[in-house]
Amino acid sequence: LPQDRRESLRAATSFPAHILTDGGRRTPCTLAERSASGALLKVVSAASLPDAFTLIVGHSGEIRDVRVDWRQPDRLGVTFA
């Protein structure tokens, strides 16, 4: 099994959110896990998303700049900037 390199524990969530790119494109996603330092996002297609973007969490209106640490076809692991 790969070693877990997270800086803090993550809690499971299921909140609607949006990815906002520098070009102004909004892409829906789901905030699936969250910690003090980052999050797991579920997306339709991770390949088309940039390595850094703004995350807007729908239930709270929170806005965070994030950096992509890893990607799978339908998931992104991000760190809060």
Side-chain angles (χ1 to χ4, degrees), residues 23-78:
R25 185 180 74 178
R26 288 177 73 111
T27 302
C29 65
T30 300
L31 179 64
E33 292 181 4
R34 178 185 185 129
S35 73
S37 60
L40 169 67
L41 305 177
K42 291 184 180 178
V43 296
V44 172
S45 175
S48 64
L49 296 169
D51 292 332
F53 53 83
T54 300
L55 178 67
I56 303 168
V57 183
H59 76 287
S60 65
E62 178 183 7
I63 299 172
R64 299 293 298 259
D65 290 328
V66 303
R67 183 186 76 243
V68 175
D69 290 325
W70 57 265
R71 62 181 75 218
Q72 294 178 351
D74 63 347
R75 295 168 189 255
L76 296 171
V78 299

